[in-house]
């Protein structure tokens, strides 16, 4: 039963105002609670995301550090022999020459293992790799610790020998000749067998001089490479001559050593 008193109370402006105020306060309180929850939720979510990102970054940085360390080692050194690879040998020599060519003399050696393909073809690439590693060790023992040594081709190695201006040209030539002979003799100690035949490893050498042949790596290497190709042609011509001498000596039943100093072509045309 709704009495007049209740109706009057409900229609009373003060009552309505108080009731509206209570509803507004309750709504605001509820909105505050919801807002607080969302703020805390977002905060925890952001912290979780940041922690996850930090963990991922740490993992990524670890991976990058490992990759950079691997790339640095792999990028600087030849994996097989441990000496500079082609690109970093060039960079190191170029940098050194730019800093020192005015004050110091340098010599660039290029060593090509002769007939090395014969080893790979007959004995396998693993055997060939072992031979190359041994050859590099022998080259390293002949040159100085501060000299640059690099693998600039499959079976081609280069050495920049650093010198100061105390060496006059005559002493420098003598030193270079000794180094070439030492490398050739040392490399020849490496032997291998193909069938029943024992062979020794041979090396062909090209040399260029700084500053006479150039003061930058490109010119020095070009001159050394040209000298190397010239040495190869001479070696091939000598090998061909030796073969012809042996054939001539066999046909004429004479000692090939005695024939070597004579005019072979004139005798063959007799």
């Amino acid at each position: 039963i709704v009495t007049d008193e209740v109706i009057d109370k409900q229609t009373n402006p003060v009552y309505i105002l108080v009731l509206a105020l209570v509803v507004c306060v309750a709504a605001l309180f509820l909105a505050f609670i919801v807002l607080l929850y969302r703020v805390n939720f977002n905060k925890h979510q952001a912290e979780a995301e940041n922690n996850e990102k930090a963990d991922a970054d740490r993992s990524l940085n670890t991976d990058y550090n490992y990759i950079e360390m691997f790339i640095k080692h792999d990028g600087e050194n030849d994996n097989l022999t441990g000496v500079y690879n082609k690109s970093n040998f060039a960079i190191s020599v170029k940098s050194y020459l730019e800093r020192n060519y005015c004050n110091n003399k340098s010599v660039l050696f290029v060593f090509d293992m002769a007939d090395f393909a014969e080893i790979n073809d007959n004995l396998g690439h693993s055997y060939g790799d072992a031979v190359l590693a041994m050859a590099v060790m022998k080259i390293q023992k002949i040159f100085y610790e501060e000299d640059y040594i690099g693998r600039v081709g499959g079976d081609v190695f280069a050495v920049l020998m650093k010198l100061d201006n105390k060496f006059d040209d005559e002493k420098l030539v003598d030193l270079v000749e000794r180094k070439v002979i030492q490398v050739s003799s040392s490399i020849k100690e490496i032997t291998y067998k193909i069938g029943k035949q024992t062979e020794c490893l041979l090396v062909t050498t090209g040399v260029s001089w700084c500053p006479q042949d150039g003061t930058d790596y490109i010119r020095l290497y070009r001159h050394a490479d040209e000298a190397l190709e010239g040495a190869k042609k001479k070696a091939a011509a000598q090998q061909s001559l030796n073969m012809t001498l042996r054939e001539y000596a066999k046909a004429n039943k004479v000692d090939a050593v005695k024939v070597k100093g004579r005019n072979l072509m004139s005798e063959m045309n007799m």
Side-chain angles (χ1 to χ4, degrees), residues 129-174:
D129 289 347
V131 169
L132 287 179
M134 193 180 302
V136 169
M137 289 174 63
K138 288 182 174 295
I139 292 172
Q140 287 175 316
K141 288 179 181 178
I142 292 168
F143 287 92
Y144 308 108
E145 187 176 352
E146 63 269 19
D147 294 336
Y148 294 133
I149 302 178
R151 186 182 182 187
V152 295
D155 58 355
V156 181
F157 298 89
V159 178
L160 182 78
M161 185 170 66
K162 306 173 187 176
L163 301 167
D164 55 38
N165 285 327
K166 294 178 182 177
F167 281 91
D168 59 37
D169 291 341
E170 186 175 347
K171 288 182 180 178
L172 182 56
V173 170
D174 289 341

Short mmCIF file of all heavy atoms in Angstrom, two decimals, residues 129-174:
data_model
loop_
_atom_site.label_atom_id
_atom_site.label_comp_id
_atom_site.label_asym_id
_atom_site.label_seq_id
_atom_site.Cartn_x
_atom_site.Cartn_y
_atom_site.Cartn_z
N ASP A 129 94.16 -30.88 -48.18
CA ASP A 129 94.04 -29.88 -47.11
C ASP A 129 95.17 -30.02 -46.09
O ASP A 129 95.74 -29.03 -45.62
CB ASP A 129 92.68 -30.02 -46.40
CG ASP A 129 91.52 -29.56 -47.26
OD1 ASP A 129 91.77 -28.91 -48.30
OD2 ASP A 129 90.37 -29.87 -46.91
N ALA A 130 95.49 -31.27 -45.75
CA ALA A 130 96.58 -31.51 -44.79
C ALA A 130 97.91 -31.03 -45.35
O ALA A 130 98.73 -30.46 -44.63
CB ALA A 130 96.64 -33.00 -44.45
N VAL A 131 98.11 -31.23 -46.64
CA VAL A 131 99.34 -30.76 -47.29
C VAL A 131 99.43 -29.24 -47.25
O VAL A 131 100.49 -28.67 -46.95
CB VAL A 131 99.42 -31.28 -48.74
CG1 VAL A 131 100.55 -30.59 -49.51
CG2 VAL A 131 99.63 -32.79 -48.76
N LEU A 132 98.34 -28.57 -47.54
CA LEU A 132 98.32 -27.09 -47.51
C LEU A 132 98.60 -26.56 -46.11
O LEU A 132 99.35 -25.60 -45.93
CB LEU A 132 96.97 -26.57 -48.00
CG LEU A 132 96.69 -26.69 -49.50
CD1 LEU A 132 95.31 -26.14 -49.81
CD2 LEU A 132 97.75 -25.95 -50.32
N ALA A 133 97.98 -27.18 -45.11
CA ALA A 133 98.21 -26.75 -43.72
C ALA A 133 99.68 -26.92 -43.35
O ALA A 133 100.27 -26.06 -42.68
CB ALA A 133 97.32 -27.56 -42.78
N MET A 134 100.29 -28.00 -43.79
CA MET A 134 101.71 -28.24 -43.52
C MET A 134 102.57 -27.21 -44.25
O MET A 134 103.56 -26.70 -43.69
CB MET A 134 102.08 -29.66 -43.95
CG MET A 134 103.42 -30.14 -43.43
SD MET A 134 103.80 -31.83 -43.98
CE MET A 134 102.39 -32.69 -43.31
N ALA A 135 102.21 -26.89 -45.48
CA ALA A 135 102.97 -25.91 -46.25
C ALA A 135 102.94 -24.54 -45.58
O ALA A 135 103.97 -23.85 -45.50
CB ALA A 135 102.41 -25.82 -47.67
N VAL A 136 101.78 -24.15 -45.06
CA VAL A 136 101.66 -22.86 -44.39
C VAL A 136 102.52 -22.82 -43.13
O VAL A 136 103.18 -21.81 -42.83
CB VAL A 136 100.18 -22.57 -44.04
CG1 VAL A 136 100.08 -21.38 -43.10
CG2 VAL A 136 99.40 -22.28 -45.30
N MET A 137 102.53 -23.91 -42.38
CA MET A 137 103.37 -23.96 -41.18
C MET A 137 104.84 -23.76 -41.53
O MET A 137 105.58 -23.06 -40.82
CB MET A 137 103.17 -25.31 -40.48
CG MET A 137 101.82 -25.47 -39.81
SD MET A 137 101.56 -27.13 -39.13
CE MET A 137 102.85 -27.17 -37.90
N LYS A 138 105.27 -24.33 -42.64
CA LYS A 138 106.66 -24.18 -43.06
C LYS A 138 106.94 -22.73 -43.49
O LYS A 138 108.00 -22.17 -43.19
CB LYS A 138 106.97 -25.16 -44.19
CG LYS A 138 107.05 -26.61 -43.72
CD LYS A 138 107.41 -27.55 -44.84
CE LYS A 138 107.61 -28.97 -44.34
NZ LYS A 138 108.77 -29.12 -43.44
N ILE A 139 106.00 -22.12 -44.19
CA ILE A 139 106.16 -20.72 -44.61
C ILE A 139 106.24 -19.81 -43.38
O ILE A 139 107.06 -18.89 -43.31
CB ILE A 139 105.02 -20.30 -45.54
CG1 ILE A 139 105.12 -21.06 -46.88
CG2 ILE A 139 105.04 -18.80 -45.79
CD1 ILE A 139 103.93 -20.85 -47.79
N GLN A 140 105.37 -20.07 -42.40
CA GLN A 140 105.36 -19.24 -41.19
C GLN A 140 106.69 -19.28 -40.45
O GLN A 140 107.11 -18.28 -39.86
CB GLN A 140 104.22 -19.70 -40.27
CG GLN A 140 102.83 -19.31 -40.77
CD GLN A 140 101.74 -19.89 -39.89
OE1 GLN A 140 101.78 -21.04 -39.50
NE2 GLN A 140 100.74 -19.07 -39.59
N LYS A 141 107.34 -20.43 -40.44
CA LYS A 141 108.62 -20.56 -39.74
C LYS A 141 109.73 -19.76 -40.41
O LYS A 141 110.71 -19.38 -39.76
CB LYS A 141 109.02 -22.04 -39.67
CG LYS A 141 108.17 -22.85 -38.71
CD LYS A 141 108.59 -24.31 -38.71
CE LYS A 141 107.73 -25.14 -37.76
NZ LYS A 141 108.09 -26.57 -37.78
N ILE A 142 109.59 -19.51 -41.70
CA ILE A 142 110.65 -18.83 -42.46
C ILE A 142 110.54 -17.32 -42.34
O ILE A 142 111.55 -16.61 -42.31
CB ILE A 142 110.60 -19.28 -43.94
CG1 ILE A 142 111.02 -20.75 -44.03
CG2 ILE A 142 111.48 -18.41 -44.82
CD1 ILE A 142 110.75 -21.39 -45.36
N PHE A 143 109.33 -16.81 -42.22
CA PHE A 143 109.14 -15.36 -42.15
C PHE A 143 109.00 -14.91 -40.70
O PHE A 143 108.97 -15.72 -39.77
CB PHE A 143 107.93 -14.96 -42.99
CG PHE A 143 108.18 -15.04 -44.46
CD1 PHE A 143 107.89 -16.21 -45.16
CD2 PHE A 143 108.75 -13.99 -45.15
CE1 PHE A 143 108.14 -16.32 -46.51
CE2 PHE A 143 109.01 -14.08 -46.51
CZ PHE A 143 108.71 -15.26 -47.19
N TYR A 144 108.94 -13.59 -40.53
CA TYR A 144 108.92 -13.02 -39.20
C TYR A 144 107.50 -12.96 -38.66
O TYR A 144 106.52 -12.92 -39.42
CB TYR A 144 109.54 -11.61 -39.23
CG TYR A 144 110.90 -11.58 -39.89
CD1 TYR A 144 111.07 -11.00 -41.15
CD2 TYR A 144 112.01 -12.16 -39.28
CE1 TYR A 144 112.31 -10.98 -41.77
CE2 TYR A 144 113.25 -12.15 -39.89
CZ TYR A 144 113.40 -11.56 -41.14
OH TYR A 144 114.61 -11.55 -41.75
N GLU A 145 107.38 -12.92 -37.35
CA GLU A 145 106.08 -12.96 -36.70
C GLU A 145 105.21 -11.77 -37.11
O GLU A 145 103.99 -11.88 -37.23
CB GLU A 145 106.25 -12.98 -35.18
CG GLU A 145 104.96 -13.18 -34.42
CD GLU A 145 105.18 -13.29 -32.93
OE1 GLU A 145 106.35 -13.36 -32.50
OE2 GLU A 145 104.18 -13.29 -32.19
N GLU A 146 105.84 -10.62 -37.33
CA GLU A 146 105.06 -9.42 -37.67
C GLU A 146 104.68 -9.35 -39.15
O GLU A 146 103.91 -8.46 -39.56
CB GLU A 146 105.83 -8.15 -37.29
CG GLU A 146 107.15 -7.95 -38.02
CD GLU A 146 108.33 -8.57 -37.27
OE1 GLU A 146 108.10 -9.44 -36.41
OE2 GLU A 146 109.47 -8.17 -37.55
N ASP A 147 105.19 -10.24 -39.98
CA ASP A 147 104.84 -10.24 -41.40
C ASP A 147 103.41 -10.74 -41.59
O ASP A 147 102.91 -11.53 -40.78
CB ASP A 147 105.80 -11.13 -42.19
CG ASP A 147 107.22 -10.57 -42.20
OD1 ASP A 147 107.37 -9.35 -42.03
OD2 ASP A 147 108.16 -11.37 -42.38
N TYR A 148 102.77 -10.26 -42.65
CA TYR A 148 101.41 -10.70 -42.96
C TYR A 148 101.47 -11.92 -43.88
O TYR A 148 102.18 -11.92 -44.89
CB TYR A 148 100.61 -9.61 -43.66
CG TYR A 148 100.34 -8.39 -42.81
CD1 TYR A 148 100.56 -7.11 -43.31
CD2 TYR A 148 99.86 -8.51 -41.51
CE1 TYR A 148 100.30 -5.99 -42.54
CE2 TYR A 148 99.61 -7.41 -40.73
CZ TYR A 148 99.83 -6.15 -41.25
OH TYR A 148 99.58 -5.05 -40.49
N ILE A 149 100.70 -12.96 -43.53
CA ILE A 149 100.59 -14.15 -44.37
C ILE A 149 99.12 -14.41 -44.65
O ILE A 149 98.29 -14.38 -43.73
CB ILE A 149 101.22 -15.38 -43.68
CG1 ILE A 149 102.68 -15.12 -43.35
CG2 ILE A 149 101.09 -16.62 -44.57
CD1 ILE A 149 103.36 -16.26 -42.61
N GLY A 150 98.79 -14.66 -45.91
CA GLY A 150 97.40 -14.88 -46.27
C GLY A 150 97.23 -15.94 -47.34
O GLY A 150 98.15 -16.19 -48.13
N ARG A 151 96.07 -16.56 -47.32
CA ARG A 151 95.71 -17.51 -48.38
C ARG A 151 94.87 -16.74 -49.39
O ARG A 151 93.74 -16.36 -49.12
CB ARG A 151 94.92 -18.67 -47.80
CG ARG A 151 94.61 -19.78 -48.83
CD ARG A 151 93.79 -20.89 -48.20
NE ARG A 151 93.53 -21.97 -49.14
CZ ARG A 151 92.71 -22.99 -48.88
NH1 ARG A 151 92.07 -23.06 -47.71
NH2 ARG A 151 92.52 -23.93 -49.79
N VAL A 152 95.43 -16.49 -50.56
CA VAL A 152 94.78 -15.63 -51.54
C VAL A 152 94.19 -16.43 -52.70
O VAL A 152 93.65 -15.85 -53.64
CB VAL A 152 95.76 -14.56 -52.07
CG1 VAL A 152 96.17 -13.62 -50.96
CG2 VAL A 152 96.99 -15.21 -52.71
N GLY A 153 94.30 -17.74 -52.63
CA GLY A 153 93.73 -18.63 -53.63
C GLY A 153 93.67 -20.02 -53.07
O GLY A 153 94.10 -20.27 -51.93
N GLY A 154 93.14 -20.97 -53.83
CA GLY A 154 93.03 -22.33 -53.33
C GLY A 154 94.34 -22.89 -52.84
O GLY A 154 94.44 -23.41 -51.73
N ASP A 155 95.39 -22.78 -53.67
CA ASP A 155 96.72 -23.27 -53.28
C ASP A 155 97.76 -22.17 -53.46
O ASP A 155 98.93 -22.44 -53.70
CB ASP A 155 97.11 -24.51 -54.09
CG ASP A 155 97.10 -24.25 -55.60
OD1 ASP A 155 96.70 -23.14 -56.00
OD2 ASP A 155 97.49 -25.15 -56.36
N VAL A 156 97.31 -20.93 -53.31
CA VAL A 156 98.19 -19.77 -53.47
C VAL A 156 98.23 -18.98 -52.16
O VAL A 156 97.19 -18.67 -51.59
CB VAL A 156 97.71 -18.86 -54.62
CG1 VAL A 156 98.66 -17.67 -54.79
CG2 VAL A 156 97.59 -19.64 -55.92
N PHE A 157 99.45 -18.67 -51.71
CA PHE A 157 99.63 -17.93 -50.47
C PHE A 157 100.51 -16.71 -50.73
O PHE A 157 101.35 -16.72 -51.64
CB PHE A 157 100.28 -18.82 -49.41
CG PHE A 157 99.44 -20.02 -49.06
CD1 PHE A 157 99.57 -21.20 -49.77
CD2 PHE A 157 98.51 -19.94 -48.04
CE1 PHE A 157 98.77 -22.29 -49.46
CE2 PHE A 157 97.71 -21.02 -47.73
CZ PHE A 157 97.84 -22.20 -48.43
N ALA A 158 100.27 -15.67 -49.96
CA ALA A 158 101.04 -14.44 -50.12
C ALA A 158 101.60 -14.00 -48.77
O ALA A 158 100.99 -14.24 -47.73
CB ALA A 158 100.16 -13.33 -50.71
N VAL A 159 102.76 -13.38 -48.83
CA VAL A 159 103.42 -12.88 -47.61
C VAL A 159 103.91 -11.46 -47.88
O VAL A 159 104.58 -11.22 -48.89
CB VAL A 159 104.62 -13.76 -47.21
CG1 VAL A 159 105.31 -13.18 -45.97
CG2 VAL A 159 104.18 -15.20 -46.96
N LEU A 160 103.56 -10.54 -46.99
CA LEU A 160 104.16 -9.21 -47.04
C LEU A 160 105.25 -9.18 -45.97
O LEU A 160 104.97 -9.25 -44.78
CB LEU A 160 103.14 -8.11 -46.77
CG LEU A 160 103.76 -6.71 -46.87
CD1 LEU A 160 103.93 -6.31 -48.33
CD2 LEU A 160 102.94 -5.68 -46.13
N MET A 161 106.50 -9.08 -46.42
CA MET A 161 107.62 -8.99 -45.49
C MET A 161 107.91 -7.52 -45.22
O MET A 161 108.21 -6.75 -46.12
CB MET A 161 108.85 -9.69 -46.07
CG MET A 161 110.02 -9.75 -45.12
SD MET A 161 111.37 -10.83 -45.70
CE MET A 161 111.92 -9.93 -47.16
N LYS A 162 107.80 -7.14 -43.94
CA LYS A 162 107.99 -5.75 -43.55
C LYS A 162 109.47 -5.51 -43.23
O LYS A 162 110.07 -6.27 -42.47
CB LYS A 162 107.15 -5.42 -42.32
CG LYS A 162 105.68 -5.75 -42.46
CD LYS A 162 104.98 -5.55 -41.12
CE LYS A 162 103.56 -6.00 -41.16
NZ LYS A 162 102.91 -5.89 -39.83
N LEU A 163 110.01 -4.46 -43.79
CA LEU A 163 111.42 -4.13 -43.57
C LEU A 163 111.55 -2.64 -43.29
O LEU A 163 110.66 -1.85 -43.62
CB LEU A 163 112.26 -4.50 -44.80
CG LEU A 163 112.21 -5.98 -45.22
CD1 LEU A 163 112.79 -6.14 -46.61
CD2 LEU A 163 112.97 -6.83 -44.23
N ASP A 164 112.68 -2.26 -42.71
CA ASP A 164 112.94 -0.83 -42.55
C ASP A 164 113.98 -0.40 -43.57
O ASP A 164 114.52 -1.21 -44.33
CB ASP A 164 113.39 -0.49 -41.12
CG ASP A 164 114.60 -1.30 -40.70
OD1 ASP A 164 115.48 -1.54 -41.55
OD2 ASP A 164 114.66 -1.70 -39.52
N ASN A 165 114.26 0.86 -43.59
CA ASN A 165 115.17 1.41 -44.61
C ASN A 165 116.64 1.16 -44.31
O ASN A 165 117.51 1.67 -45.01
CB ASN A 165 114.92 2.91 -44.77
CG ASN A 165 113.64 3.18 -45.54
OD1 ASN A 165 113.29 2.40 -46.43
ND2 ASN A 165 112.93 4.25 -45.21
N LYS A 166 116.94 0.38 -43.27
CA LYS A 166 118.33 0.03 -42.99
C LYS A 166 118.90 -0.89 -44.06
O LYS A 166 120.10 -0.96 -44.26
CB LYS A 166 118.43 -0.63 -41.62
CG LYS A 166 118.08 0.30 -40.46
CD LYS A 166 118.14 -0.45 -39.13
CE LYS A 166 117.74 0.48 -37.98
NZ LYS A 166 117.72 -0.25 -36.68
N PHE A 167 118.01 -1.62 -44.74
CA PHE A 167 118.46 -2.54 -45.78
C PHE A 167 118.75 -1.75 -47.06
O PHE A 167 117.88 -1.07 -47.59
CB PHE A 167 117.37 -3.58 -46.08
CG PHE A 167 117.31 -4.69 -45.08
CD1 PHE A 167 116.48 -4.59 -43.98
CD2 PHE A 167 118.08 -5.84 -45.24
CE1 PHE A 167 116.42 -5.61 -43.04
CE2 PHE A 167 118.02 -6.87 -44.32
CZ PHE A 167 117.19 -6.76 -43.22
N ASP A 168 120.00 -1.85 -47.52
CA ASP A 168 120.25 -1.29 -48.85
C ASP A 168 119.78 -2.30 -49.89
O ASP A 168 119.44 -3.44 -49.57
CB ASP A 168 121.73 -0.94 -49.03
CG ASP A 168 122.65 -2.15 -48.87
OD1 ASP A 168 122.27 -3.26 -49.29
OD2 ASP A 168 123.75 -1.97 -48.32
N ASP A 169 119.73 -1.87 -51.13
CA ASP A 169 119.13 -2.71 -52.18
C ASP A 169 119.84 -4.04 -52.34
O ASP A 169 119.21 -5.08 -52.54
CB ASP A 169 119.12 -1.95 -53.51
CG ASP A 169 118.15 -0.78 -53.48
OD1 ASP A 169 117.26 -0.81 -52.61
OD2 ASP A 169 118.27 0.14 -54.30
N GLU A 170 121.17 -4.04 -52.23
CA GLU A 170 121.92 -5.28 -52.42
C GLU A 170 121.61 -6.28 -51.32
O GLU A 170 121.38 -7.47 -51.59
CB GLU A 170 123.43 -4.97 -52.45
CG GLU A 170 124.28 -6.19 -52.79
CD GLU A 170 125.75 -5.84 -52.93
OE1 GLU A 170 126.07 -4.63 -53.00
OE2 GLU A 170 126.57 -6.77 -52.94
N LYS A 171 121.57 -5.80 -50.06
CA LYS A 171 121.26 -6.69 -48.94
C LYS A 171 119.81 -7.18 -49.04
O LYS A 171 119.51 -8.32 -48.70
CB LYS A 171 121.47 -5.95 -47.62
CG LYS A 171 122.92 -5.72 -47.26
CD LYS A 171 123.04 -5.03 -45.92
CE LYS A 171 124.51 -4.80 -45.55
NZ LYS A 171 124.63 -4.09 -44.24
N LEU A 172 118.93 -6.30 -49.52
CA LEU A 172 117.53 -6.67 -49.65
C LEU A 172 117.35 -7.77 -50.68
O LEU A 172 116.61 -8.74 -50.46
CB LEU A 172 116.70 -5.44 -50.04
CG LEU A 172 115.19 -5.65 -50.17
CD1 LEU A 172 114.60 -6.22 -48.88
CD2 LEU A 172 114.50 -4.33 -50.53
N VAL A 173 118.03 -7.65 -51.80
CA VAL A 173 117.96 -8.69 -52.85
C VAL A 173 118.46 -10.01 -52.31
O VAL A 173 117.86 -11.07 -52.54
CB VAL A 173 118.75 -8.25 -54.10
CG1 VAL A 173 118.88 -9.42 -55.07
CG2 VAL A 173 118.07 -7.08 -54.78
N ASP A 174 119.58 -9.97 -51.57
CA ASP A 174 120.13 -11.19 -50.98
C ASP A 174 119.13 -11.83 -50.01
O ASP A 174 118.94 -13.05 -50.00
CB ASP A 174 121.43 -10.90 -50.25
CG ASP A 174 122.57 -10.58 -51.21
OD1 ASP A 174 122.45 -10.93 -52.40
OD2 ASP A 174 123.57 -9.96 -50.77
#
